[in-house]
Amino acid sequence: MTNLMEMTIFVSVTAILILLFKRLFKTKLSAKWHMWIWALLLVRFFVPDLPQSEISVFNIVPDSPPTAETVYVPVEPVQIKDTYIIADRQSVPIDNGPMKLSVWPNIINKVWAIAAATLFAYFVVVYALHAYSLKKKNQISSERLLAVLEECKNVLGIKRNVQPISGDVPMLTGIICPKIVMPDGYSYEENKSILMHELCHLKNNDIFLIWLAVIMLCINWFNPIMWYAFFMFRKDVEVYCDERVLEITGGKKEYASLLLKTALRKNRFVAGTTALQNGEKEVERRIKYIAGFKKPTVIWTAVILVIALVFGALCLTNSVKDYSMDEAVYAEYISRPVGSIMADI
């Protein structure tokens, strides 16, 4: 129970600070910054045992309340014939009526674990069904499209084998054996932009990162902050690839038209995939970012870098824990009788 509470505090505070950072410098941050600032949350979650620091943001967060299972009672030294004898501190159960309070943490942990496993199983089943449906799709053998694919791979420095297959919406799927789904009805330049976008996902290992994000979401299924952070992370993954494609191909207007052409009325998410298409509202946001973003000046870049380092120091350190009052008293009790006993011997 205590570990679950600590995890919730750690990831919630870190996610809030990241979202605040992104909000403050929304128009000044490149898509790459918007994407990689989430690394703070990944480290905070997967490496909870971080160094302690006086500047940690978690110093201002109250410690988790003690569990109701036991109360530690320091025992006063008892003098018998000028010799101190001290008993170890005892754990005294608390009886709170028909159902002891100590039962509730176990119930909460079980409910949390069952819900987390169920949500993760849902994502896995949806992905498995999606992967099975792709097996029925035909592999693309068009020499022209294959030539464009090889050209894009060479530009990005990708040597892995990538299989293009026909489908309804453009997307990348598969970690070990990557496949790019290519729909019909697109021009040569549009196919080139689609392939470049999905290959950028492959280059950045975005599918692997999304699976890590899914694991974090499942473990924190009860936390609305993590749900919001998860959807923002997915959006930033797509915008970062938009930026990379435009750096290579140029043509903001043509690329924005492609995004509108691939837009769906609703955003369909399948874990283990990345898709050029999104819901209409999300595509509109991506187009506005493409049209409005201007590279920040050197001064702004330096300011953002310094503040990012400060945020990292705040989030990626743990609080400095002091002994509680009863621990200090107990330590004093321990030190006194030992000297007396040694003197008597």
Side-chain angles (χ1 to χ4, degrees):
M1 179 67 176
T2 302
N3 292 336
L4 182 59
M5 293 176 64
E6 288 181 351
M7 176 197 67
T8 303
I9 293 173
F10 285 158
V11 298
S12 297
V13 173
T14 304
I16 290 172
L17 288 178
I18 291 173
L19 293 170
L20 177 62
F21 178 83
K22 287 164 57 62
R23 185 69 177 178
L24 287 175
F25 302 103
K26 182 177 181 180
T27 58
K28 300 296 183 182
L29 291 177
S30 67
K32 184 176 182 178
W33 270 99
H34 276 289
M35 166 71 175
W36 288 107
I37 192 66
W38 291 109
L40 296 178
L41 186 58
L42 289 175
V43 175
R44 178 72 268 183
F45 178 77
F46 287 103
V47 190
D49 189 16
L50 293 168
Q52 296 181 2
S53 172
E54 295 287 350
I55 66 172
S56 174
V57 69
F58 301 105
N59 284 314
I60 64 175
V61 178
D63 292 335
S64 302
T67 60
E69 298 179 10
T70 58
V71 170
Y72 294 105
V73 182
V75 181
E76 291 280 0
V78 180
Q79 187 176 17
I80 301 177
K81 294 182 179 180
D82 299 326
T83 301
Y84 285 101
I85 300 176
I86 184 169
D88 290 337
R89 187 171 56 167
Q90 301 297 315
S91 301
V92 181
I94 299 177
D95 192 346
N96 294 280
M99 178 177 287
K100 297 181 180 180
L101 288 178
S102 60
V103 175
W104 286 107
N106 293 331
I107 294 177
I108 293 174
N109 285 335
K110 289 179 180 179
V111 171
W112 162 76
I114 292 172
T118 301
L119 181 60
F120 185 73
Y122 165 78
F123 281 121
V124 171
V125 169
V126 170
Y127 173 74
L129 293 174
H130 171 75
Y132 178 76
S133 67
L134 291 181
K135 290 183 178 181
K136 301 178 181 179
K137 304 294 184 179
N138 297 325
Q139 183 174 352
I140 296 176
S141 57
S142 170
E143 294 183 1
R144 187 178 184 184
L145 185 61
L146 293 176
V148 176
L149 175 60
E150 289 301 318
E151 178 186 349
C152 295
K153 286 171 60 178
N154 291 332
V155 171
L156 294 173
I158 297 175
K159 298 182 179 180
R160 298 180 61 185
N161 183 38
V162 182
Q163 180 182 351
I165 58 177
S166 61
D168 299 328
V169 293
M171 68 170 59
L172 173 71
T173 181
I175 296 179
I176 300 176
C177 299
K179 299 180 179 64
I180 295 180
V181 180
M182 297 293 295
D184 296 327
Y186 290 89
S187 67
Y188 171 84
E189 291 298 330
E190 288 173 338
N191 281 330
K192 184 176 180 180
S193 294
I194 291 172
L195 289 169
M196 194 71 74
H197 180 97
E198 301 305 338
L199 287 173
C200 282
H201 283 305
L202 182 63
K203 179 77 173 180
N204 299 335
N205 295 312
D206 287 338
I207 290 181
F208 175 71
L209 294 176
I210 288 175
W211 272 118
L212 290 181
V214 166
I215 293 172
M216 290 178 59
L217 180 65
C218 292
I219 294 176
N220 294 274
W221 58 267
F222 55 89
N223 191 340
I225 297 174
M226 293 302 293
W227 280 94
Y228 183 74
F230 176 75
F231 288 116
M232 289 300 298
F233 171 73
R234 282 185 50 223
K235 294 175 181 179
D236 291 337
V237 167
E238 295 299 329
V239 175
Y240 179 39
C241 286
D242 291 339
E243 184 181 80
R244 290 284 292 118
V245 172
L246 290 175
E247 288 176 355
I248 298 170
T249 63
K252 290 185 177 181
K253 184 177 180 180
E254 292 76 12
Y255 191 76
S257 299
L258 175 62
L259 291 179
L260 288 173
K261 187 174 180 179
T262 61
L264 300 176
R265 292 184 178 181
K266 293 184 179 180
N267 191 1
R268 301 173 183 175
F269 172 68
V270 177
T273 67
T274 61
L276 176 67
Q277 55 78 27
N278 280 121
E280 291 178 350
K281 292 183 179 179
E282 178 55 24
V283 166
E284 182 180 351
R285 187 183 80 91
R286 289 165 64 180
I287 291 174
K288 287 181 179 179
Y289 180 85
I290 292 172
F293 175 73
K294 295 181 179 180
K295 189 175 181 179
T297 62
V298 175
I299 295 177
W300 267 111
T301 301
V303 170
I304 292 171
L305 178 59
V306 170
I307 296 178
L309 292 174
V310 171
F311 272 56
L314 292 174
C315 298
L316 300 184
T317 52
N318 290 338
S319 62
V320 178
K321 296 181 180 180
D322 298 324
Y323 285 108
S324 61
M325 182 63 69
D326 63 336
E327 289 284 349
V329 173
Y330 180 61
E332 181 182 354
Y333 285 142
I334 290 178
S335 63
R336 289 172 55 191
V338 171
S340 300
I341 292 173
M342 293 299 292
D344 291 339
I345 293 175

mmCIF file with all atom_site columns, all heavy atoms in Angstrom, residues 56-77:
data_model
loop_
_atom_site.group_PDB
_atom_site.id
_atom_site.type_symbol
_atom_site.label_atom_id
_atom_site.label_alt_id
_atom_site.label_comp_id
_atom_site.label_asym_id
_atom_site.label_entity_id
_atom_site.label_seq_id
_atom_site.pdbx_PDB_ins_code
_atom_site.Cartn_x
_atom_site.Cartn_y
_atom_site.Cartn_z
_atom_site.occupancy
_atom_site.B_iso_or_equiv
_atom_site.pdbx_formal_charge
_atom_site.auth_seq_id
_atom_site.auth_comp_id
_atom_site.auth_asym_id
_atom_site.auth_atom_id
_atom_site.pdbx_PDB_model_num
ATOM 1   N N   . SER A 1 56 ? 15.194 18.364 -3.987 1.00 0.00 ? 56 SER A N   1
ATOM 2   C CA  . SER A 1 56 ? 14.148 17.519 -4.561 1.00 0.00 ? 56 SER A CA  1
ATOM 3   C C   . SER A 1 56 ? 12.771 18.110 -4.278 1.00 0.00 ? 56 SER A C   1
ATOM 4   O O   . SER A 1 56 ? 12.490 18.573 -3.175 1.00 0.00 ? 56 SER A O   1
ATOM 5   C CB  . SER A 1 56 ? 14.225 16.104 -3.980 1.00 0.00 ? 56 SER A CB  1
ATOM 6   O OG  . SER A 1 56 ? 13.132 15.328 -4.431 1.00 0.00 ? 56 SER A OG  1
ATOM 7   N N   . VAL A 1 57 ? 11.925 18.088 -5.293 1.00 0.00 ? 57 VAL A N   1
ATOM 8   C CA  . VAL A 1 57 ? 10.574 18.601 -5.118 1.00 0.00 ? 57 VAL A CA  1
ATOM 9   C C   . VAL A 1 57 ? 9.787  17.765 -4.119 1.00 0.00 ? 57 VAL A C   1
ATOM 10  O O   . VAL A 1 57 ? 8.828  18.236 -3.507 1.00 0.00 ? 57 VAL A O   1
ATOM 11  C CB  . VAL A 1 57 ? 9.845  18.639 -6.485 1.00 0.00 ? 57 VAL A CB  1
ATOM 12  C CG1 . VAL A 1 57 ? 9.569  17.227 -6.994 1.00 0.00 ? 57 VAL A CG1 1
ATOM 13  C CG2 . VAL A 1 57 ? 8.537  19.419 -6.395 1.00 0.00 ? 57 VAL A CG2 1
ATOM 14  N N   . PHE A 1 58 ? 10.218 16.529 -3.907 1.00 0.00 ? 58 PHE A N   1
ATOM 15  C CA  . PHE A 1 58 ? 9.492  15.636 -3.014 1.00 0.00 ? 58 PHE A CA  1
ATOM 16  C C   . PHE A 1 58 ? 9.779  15.916 -1.537 1.00 0.00 ? 58 PHE A C   1
ATOM 17  O O   . PHE A 1 58 ? 9.170  15.305 -0.668 1.00 0.00 ? 58 PHE A O   1
ATOM 18  C CB  . PHE A 1 58 ? 9.807  14.179 -3.362 1.00 0.00 ? 58 PHE A CB  1
ATOM 19  C CG  . PHE A 1 58 ? 9.445  13.837 -4.775 1.00 0.00 ? 58 PHE A CG  1
ATOM 20  C CD1 . PHE A 1 58 ? 10.433 13.698 -5.744 1.00 0.00 ? 58 PHE A CD1 1
ATOM 21  C CD2 . PHE A 1 58 ? 8.126  13.681 -5.153 1.00 0.00 ? 58 PHE A CD2 1
ATOM 22  C CE1 . PHE A 1 58 ? 10.112 13.407 -7.052 1.00 0.00 ? 58 PHE A CE1 1
ATOM 23  C CE2 . PHE A 1 58 ? 7.784  13.391 -6.457 1.00 0.00 ? 58 PHE A CE2 1
ATOM 24  C CZ  . PHE A 1 58 ? 8.785  13.252 -7.417 1.00 0.00 ? 58 PHE A CZ  1
ATOM 25  N N   . ASN A 1 59 ? 10.696 16.860 -1.271 1.00 0.00 ? 59 ASN A N   1
ATOM 26  C CA  . ASN A 1 59 ? 10.901 17.284 0.109  1.00 0.00 ? 59 ASN A CA  1
ATOM 27  C C   . ASN A 1 59 ? 9.690  18.028 0.666  1.00 0.00 ? 59 ASN A C   1
ATOM 28  O O   . ASN A 1 59 ? 9.471  18.045 1.878  1.00 0.00 ? 59 ASN A O   1
ATOM 29  C CB  . ASN A 1 59 ? 12.143 18.182 0.212  1.00 0.00 ? 59 ASN A CB  1
ATOM 30  C CG  . ASN A 1 59 ? 13.435 17.392 0.141  1.00 0.00 ? 59 ASN A CG  1
ATOM 31  O OD1 . ASN A 1 59 ? 13.580 16.366 0.789  1.00 0.00 ? 59 ASN A OD1 1
ATOM 32  N ND2 . ASN A 1 59 ? 14.377 17.850 -0.661 1.00 0.00 ? 59 ASN A ND2 1
ATOM 33  N N   . ILE A 1 60 ? 8.917  18.655 -0.228 1.00 0.00 ? 60 ILE A N   1
ATOM 34  C CA  . ILE A 1 60 ? 7.739  19.406 0.224  1.00 0.00 ? 60 ILE A CA  1
ATOM 35  C C   . ILE A 1 60 ? 6.489  18.544 0.238  1.00 0.00 ? 60 ILE A C   1
ATOM 36  O O   . ILE A 1 60 ? 5.433  18.997 0.638  1.00 0.00 ? 60 ILE A O   1
ATOM 37  C CB  . ILE A 1 60 ? 7.500  20.639 -0.661 1.00 0.00 ? 60 ILE A CB  1
ATOM 38  C CG1 . ILE A 1 60 ? 7.175  20.216 -2.103 1.00 0.00 ? 60 ILE A CG1 1
ATOM 39  C CG2 . ILE A 1 60 ? 8.702  21.575 -0.632 1.00 0.00 ? 60 ILE A CG2 1
ATOM 40  C CD1 . ILE A 1 60 ? 6.808  21.373 -3.012 1.00 0.00 ? 60 ILE A CD1 1
ATOM 41  N N   . VAL A 1 61 ? 6.629  17.283 -0.224 1.00 0.00 ? 61 VAL A N   1
ATOM 42  C CA  . VAL A 1 61 ? 5.487  16.364 -0.225 1.00 0.00 ? 61 VAL A CA  1
ATOM 43  C C   . VAL A 1 61 ? 5.472  15.618 1.096  1.00 0.00 ? 61 VAL A C   1
ATOM 44  O O   . VAL A 1 61 ? 6.485  15.038 1.494  1.00 0.00 ? 61 VAL A O   1
ATOM 45  C CB  . VAL A 1 61 ? 5.586  15.357 -1.387 1.00 0.00 ? 61 VAL A CB  1
ATOM 46  C CG1 . VAL A 1 61 ? 4.428  14.381 -1.354 1.00 0.00 ? 61 VAL A CG1 1
ATOM 47  C CG2 . VAL A 1 61 ? 5.616  16.102 -2.717 1.00 0.00 ? 61 VAL A CG2 1
ATOM 48  N N   . PRO A 1 62 ? 4.342  15.615 1.814  1.00 0.00 ? 62 PRO A N   1
ATOM 49  C CA  . PRO A 1 62 ? 4.288  14.900 3.093  1.00 0.00 ? 62 PRO A CA  1
ATOM 50  C C   . PRO A 1 62 ? 4.590  13.426 2.911  1.00 0.00 ? 62 PRO A C   1
ATOM 51  O O   . PRO A 1 62 ? 4.246  12.823 1.895  1.00 0.00 ? 62 PRO A O   1
ATOM 52  C CB  . PRO A 1 62 ? 2.838  15.111 3.557  1.00 0.00 ? 62 PRO A CB  1
ATOM 53  C CG  . PRO A 1 62 ? 2.349  16.293 2.796  1.00 0.00 ? 62 PRO A CG  1
ATOM 54  C CD  . PRO A 1 62 ? 3.066  16.281 1.487  1.00 0.00 ? 62 PRO A CD  1
ATOM 55  N N   . ASP A 1 63 ? 5.273  12.858 3.898  1.00 0.00 ? 63 ASP A N   1
ATOM 56  C CA  . ASP A 1 63 ? 5.558  11.425 3.864  1.00 0.00 ? 63 ASP A CA  1
ATOM 57  C C   . ASP A 1 63 ? 4.268  10.638 3.935  1.00 0.00 ? 63 ASP A C   1
ATOM 58  O O   . ASP A 1 63 ? 3.256  11.102 4.464  1.00 0.00 ? 63 ASP A O   1
ATOM 59  C CB  . ASP A 1 63 ? 6.449  11.015 5.034  1.00 0.00 ? 63 ASP A CB  1
ATOM 60  C CG  . ASP A 1 63 ? 7.852  11.586 4.896  1.00 0.00 ? 63 ASP A CG  1
ATOM 61  O OD1 . ASP A 1 63 ? 8.256  11.856 3.750  1.00 0.00 ? 63 ASP A OD1 1
ATOM 62  O OD2 . ASP A 1 63 ? 8.514  11.787 5.932  1.00 0.00 ? 63 ASP A OD2 1
ATOM 63  N N   . SER A 1 64 ? 4.304  9.443  3.417  1.00 0.00 ? 64 SER A N   1
ATOM 64  C CA  . SER A 1 64 ? 3.135  8.574  3.474  1.00 0.00 ? 64 SER A CA  1
ATOM 65  C C   . SER A 1 64 ? 2.781  8.273  4.921  1.00 0.00 ? 64 SER A C   1
ATOM 66  O O   . SER A 1 64 ? 3.666  8.035  5.750  1.00 0.00 ? 64 SER A O   1
ATOM 67  C CB  . SER A 1 64 ? 3.403  7.265  2.728  1.00 0.00 ? 64 SER A CB  1
ATOM 68  O OG  . SER A 1 64 ? 3.749  7.531  1.383  1.00 0.00 ? 64 SER A OG  1
ATOM 69  N N   . PRO A 1 65 ? 1.493  8.281  5.273  1.00 0.00 ? 65 PRO A N   1
ATOM 70  C CA  . PRO A 1 65 ? 1.107  7.973  6.638  1.00 0.00 ? 65 PRO A CA  1
ATOM 71  C C   . PRO A 1 65 ? 1.461  6.550  7.001  1.00 0.00 ? 65 PRO A C   1
ATOM 72  O O   . PRO A 1 65 ? 1.494  5.676  6.128  1.00 0.00 ? 65 PRO A O   1
ATOM 73  C CB  . PRO A 1 65 ? -0.422 8.167  6.619  1.00 0.00 ? 65 PRO A CB  1
ATOM 74  C CG  . PRO A 1 65 ? -0.815 7.981  5.192  1.00 0.00 ? 65 PRO A CG  1
ATOM 75  C CD  . PRO A 1 65 ? 0.336  8.498  4.385  1.00 0.00 ? 65 PRO A CD  1
ATOM 76  N N   . PRO A 1 66 ? 1.770  6.271  8.252  1.00 0.00 ? 66 PRO A N   1
ATOM 77  C CA  . PRO A 1 66 ? 2.112  4.907  8.637  1.00 0.00 ? 66 PRO A CA  1
ATOM 78  C C   . PRO A 1 66 ? 0.938  3.975  8.430  1.00 0.00 ? 66 PRO A C   1
ATOM 79  O O   . PRO A 1 66 ? -0.210 4.377  8.539  1.00 0.00 ? 66 PRO A O   1
ATOM 80  C CB  . PRO A 1 66 ? 2.457  5.041  10.130 1.00 0.00 ? 66 PRO A CB  1
ATOM 81  C CG  . PRO A 1 66 ? 1.749  6.275  10.575 1.00 0.00 ? 66 PRO A CG  1
ATOM 82  C CD  . PRO A 1 66 ? 1.740  7.195  9.406  1.00 0.00 ? 66 PRO A CD  1
ATOM 83  N N   . THR A 1 67 ? 1.254  2.735  8.123  1.00 0.00 ? 67 THR A N   1
ATOM 84  C CA  . THR A 1 67 ? 0.182  1.771  7.920  1.00 0.00 ? 67 THR A CA  1
ATOM 85  C C   . THR A 1 67 ? -0.506 1.464  9.238  1.00 0.00 ? 67 THR A C   1
ATOM 86  O O   . THR A 1 67 ? 0.076  1.593  10.313 1.00 0.00 ? 67 THR A O   1
ATOM 87  C CB  . THR A 1 67 ? 0.737  0.463  7.337  1.00 0.00 ? 67 THR A CB  1
ATOM 88  O OG1 . THR A 1 67 ? 1.688  -0.067 8.263  1.00 0.00 ? 67 THR A OG1 1
ATOM 89  C CG2 . THR A 1 67 ? 1.425  0.728  6.001  1.00 0.00 ? 67 THR A CG2 1
ATOM 90  N N   . ALA A 1 68 ? -1.747 1.038  9.126  1.00 0.00 ? 68 ALA A N   1
ATOM 91  C CA  . ALA A 1 68 ? -2.530 0.774  10.326 1.00 0.00 ? 68 ALA A CA  1
ATOM 92  C C   . ALA A 1 68 ? -2.322 -0.638 10.845 1.00 0.00 ? 68 ALA A C   1
ATOM 93  O O   . ALA A 1 68 ? -2.987 -1.056 11.776 1.00 0.00 ? 68 ALA A O   1
ATOM 94  C CB  . ALA A 1 68 ? -4.015 0.997  10.024 1.00 0.00 ? 68 ALA A CB  1
ATOM 95  N N   . GLU A 1 69 ? -1.396 -1.373 10.249 1.00 0.00 ? 69 GLU A N   1
ATOM 96  C CA  . GLU A 1 69 ? -1.216 -2.756 10.655 1.00 0.00 ? 69 GLU A CA  1
ATOM 97  C C   . GLU A 1 69 ? -0.573 -2.860 12.035 1.00 0.00 ? 69 GLU A C   1
ATOM 98  O O   . GLU A 1 69 ? -0.957 -3.675 12.840 1.00 0.00 ? 69 GLU A O   1
ATOM 99  C CB  . GLU A 1 69 ? -0.347 -3.479 9.626  1.00 0.00 ? 69 GLU A CB  1
ATOM 100 C CG  . GLU A 1 69 ? -0.993 -3.523 8.242  1.00 0.00 ? 69 GLU A CG  1
ATOM 101 C CD  . GLU A 1 69 ? -0.089 -4.225 7.255  1.00 0.00 ? 69 GLU A CD  1
ATOM 102 O OE1 . GLU A 1 69 ? 0.914  -4.827 7.679  1.00 0.00 ? 69 GLU A OE1 1
ATOM 103 O OE2 . GLU A 1 69 ? -0.378 -4.183 6.059  1.00 0.00 ? 69 GLU A OE2 1
ATOM 104 N N   . THR A 1 70 ? 0.470  -2.042 12.263 1.00 0.00 ? 70 THR A N   1
ATOM 105 C CA  . THR A 1 70 ? 1.192  -2.157 13.522 1.00 0.00 ? 70 THR A CA  1
ATOM 106 C C   . THR A 1 70 ? 1.566  -0.789 14.046 1.00 0.00 ? 70 THR A C   1
ATOM 107 O O   . THR A 1 70 ? 1.632  0.185  13.303 1.00 0.00 ? 70 THR A O   1
ATOM 108 C CB  . THR A 1 70 ? 2.479  -2.977 13.340 1.00 0.00 ? 70 THR A CB  1
ATOM 109 O OG1 . THR A 1 70 ? 3.283  -2.332 12.354 1.00 0.00 ? 70 THR A OG1 1
ATOM 110 C CG2 . THR A 1 70 ? 2.185  -4.402 12.922 1.00 0.00 ? 70 THR A CG2 1
ATOM 111 N N   . VAL A 1 71 ? 1.808  -0.740 15.335 1.00 0.00 ? 71 VAL A N   1
ATOM 112 C CA  . VAL A 1 71 ? 2.351  0.450  15.982 1.00 0.00 ? 71 VAL A CA  1
ATOM 113 C C   . VAL A 1 71 ? 3.600  0.034  16.721 1.00 0.00 ? 71 VAL A C   1
ATOM 114 O O   . VAL A 1 71 ? 3.603  -0.943 17.458 1.00 0.00 ? 71 VAL A O   1
ATOM 115 C CB  . VAL A 1 71 ? 1.331  1.068  16.976 1.00 0.00 ? 71 VAL A CB  1
ATOM 116 C CG1 . VAL A 1 71 ? 2.001  2.152  17.798 1.00 0.00 ? 71 VAL A CG1 1
ATOM 117 C CG2 . VAL A 1 71 ? 0.132  1.623  16.232 1.00 0.00 ? 71 VAL A CG2 1
ATOM 118 N N   . TYR A 1 72 ? 4.696  0.762  16.486 1.00 0.00 ? 72 TYR A N   1
ATOM 119 C CA  . TYR A 1 72 ? 5.963  0.427  17.114 1.00 0.00 ? 72 TYR A CA  1
ATOM 120 C C   . TYR A 1 72 ? 6.070  1.156  18.448 1.00 0.00 ? 72 TYR A C   1
ATOM 121 O O   . TYR A 1 72 ? 5.934  2.379  18.515 1.00 0.00 ? 72 TYR A O   1
ATOM 122 C CB  . TYR A 1 72 ? 7.123  0.818  16.208 1.00 0.00 ? 72 TYR A CB  1
ATOM 123 C CG  . TYR A 1 72 ? 7.152  0.007  14.939 1.00 0.00 ? 72 TYR A CG  1
ATOM 124 C CD1 . TYR A 1 72 ? 6.758  0.572  13.739 1.00 0.00 ? 72 TYR A CD1 1
ATOM 125 C CD2 . TYR A 1 72 ? 7.555  -1.323 14.970 1.00 0.00 ? 72 TYR A CD2 1
ATOM 126 C CE1 . TYR A 1 72 ? 6.767  -0.179 12.575 1.00 0.00 ? 72 TYR A CE1 1
ATOM 127 C CE2 . TYR A 1 72 ? 7.582  -2.067 13.809 1.00 0.00 ? 72 TYR A CE2 1
ATOM 128 C CZ  . TYR A 1 72 ? 7.190  -1.499 12.618 1.00 0.00 ? 72 TYR A CZ  1
ATOM 129 O OH  . TYR A 1 72 ? 7.207  -2.234 11.469 1.00 0.00 ? 72 TYR A OH  1
ATOM 130 N N   . VAL A 1 73 ? 6.309  0.404  19.501 1.00 0.00 ? 73 VAL A N   1
ATOM 131 C CA  . VAL A 1 73 ? 6.344  0.951  20.845 1.00 0.00 ? 73 VAL A CA  1
ATOM 132 C C   . VAL A 1 73 ? 7.729  0.789  21.430 1.00 0.00 ? 73 VAL A C   1
ATOM 133 O O   . VAL A 1 73 ? 8.185  -0.342 21.640 1.00 0.00 ? 73 VAL A O   1
ATOM 134 C CB  . VAL A 1 73 ? 5.317  0.237  21.759 1.00 0.00 ? 73 VAL A CB  1
ATOM 135 C CG1 . VAL A 1 73 ? 5.342  0.852  23.147 1.00 0.00 ? 73 VAL A CG1 1
ATOM 136 C CG2 . VAL A 1 73 ? 3.925  0.314  21.153 1.00 0.00 ? 73 VAL A CG2 1
ATOM 137 N N   . PRO A 1 74 ? 8.475  1.906  21.650 1.00 0.00 ? 74 PRO A N   1
ATOM 138 C CA  . PRO A 1 74 ? 9.767  1.783  22.324 1.00 0.00 ? 74 PRO A CA  1
ATOM 139 C C   . PRO A 1 74 ? 9.571  1.435  23.786 1.00 0.00 ? 74 PRO A C   1
ATOM 140 O O   . PRO A 1 74 ? 8.717  1.997  24.462 1.00 0.00 ? 74 PRO A O   1
ATOM 141 C CB  . PRO A 1 74 ? 10.377 3.177  22.151 1.00 0.00 ? 74 PRO A CB  1
ATOM 142 C CG  . PRO A 1 74 ? 9.216  4.087  21.960 1.00 0.00 ? 74 PRO A CG  1
ATOM 143 C CD  . PRO A 1 74 ? 8.139  3.285  21.292 1.00 0.00 ? 74 PRO A CD  1
ATOM 144 N N   . VAL A 1 75 ? 10.351 0.474  24.256 1.00 0.00 ? 75 VAL A N   1
ATOM 145 C CA  . VAL A 1 75 ? 10.192 -0.010 25.624 1.00 0.00 ? 75 VAL A CA  1
ATOM 146 C C   . VAL A 1 75 ? 11.233 0.633  26.524 1.00 0.00 ? 75 VAL A C   1
ATOM 147 O O   . VAL A 1 75 ? 12.421 0.669  26.191 1.00 0.00 ? 75 VAL A O   1
ATOM 148 C CB  . VAL A 1 75 ? 10.342 -1.546 25.669 1.00 0.00 ? 75 VAL A CB  1
ATOM 149 C CG1 . VAL A 1 75 ? 10.162 -2.063 27.099 1.00 0.00 ? 75 VAL A CG1 1
ATOM 150 C CG2 . VAL A 1 75 ? 9.320  -2.177 24.739 1.00 0.00 ? 75 VAL A CG2 1
ATOM 151 N N   . GLU A 1 76 ? 10.785 1.171  27.647 1.00 0.00 ? 76 GLU A N   1
ATOM 152 C CA  . GLU A 1 76 ? 11.700 1.791  28.605 1.00 0.00 ? 76 GLU A CA  1
ATOM 153 C C   . GLU A 1 76 ? 12.645 0.736  29.182 1.00 0.00 ? 76 GLU A C   1
ATOM 154 O O   . GLU A 1 76 ? 12.257 -0.409 29.414 1.00 0.00 ? 76 GLU A O   1
ATOM 155 C CB  . GLU A 1 76 ? 10.901 2.409  29.759 1.00 0.00 ? 76 GLU A CB  1
ATOM 156 C CG  . GLU A 1 76 ? 10.084 3.634  29.362 1.00 0.00 ? 76 GLU A CG  1
ATOM 157 C CD  . GLU A 1 76 ? 10.953 4.876  29.302 1.00 0.00 ? 76 GLU A CD  1
ATOM 158 O OE1 . GLU A 1 76 ? 12.161 4.739  29.578 1.00 0.00 ? 76 GLU A OE1 1
ATOM 159 O OE2 . GLU A 1 76 ? 10.454 5.943  28.956 1.00 0.00 ? 76 GLU A OE2 1
ATOM 160 N N   . PRO A 1 77 ? 13.929 1.088  29.399 1.00 0.00 ? 77 PRO A N   1
ATOM 161 C CA  . PRO A 1 77 ? 14.843 0.143  30.051 1.00 0.00 ? 77 PRO A CA  1
ATOM 162 C C   . PRO A 1 77 ? 14.411 -0.130 31.485 1.00 0.00 ? 77 PRO A C   1
ATOM 163 O O   . PRO A 1 77 ? 13.968 0.761  32.187 1.00 0.00 ? 77 PRO A O   1
ATOM 164 C CB  . PRO A 1 77 ? 16.186 0.869  29.992 1.00 0.00 ? 77 PRO A CB  1
ATOM 165 C CG  . PRO A 1 77 ? 15.838 2.312  29.861 1.00 0.00 ? 77 PRO A CG  1
ATOM 166 C CD  . PRO A 1 77 ? 14.570 2.367  29.080 1.00 0.00 ? 77 PRO A CD  1
#
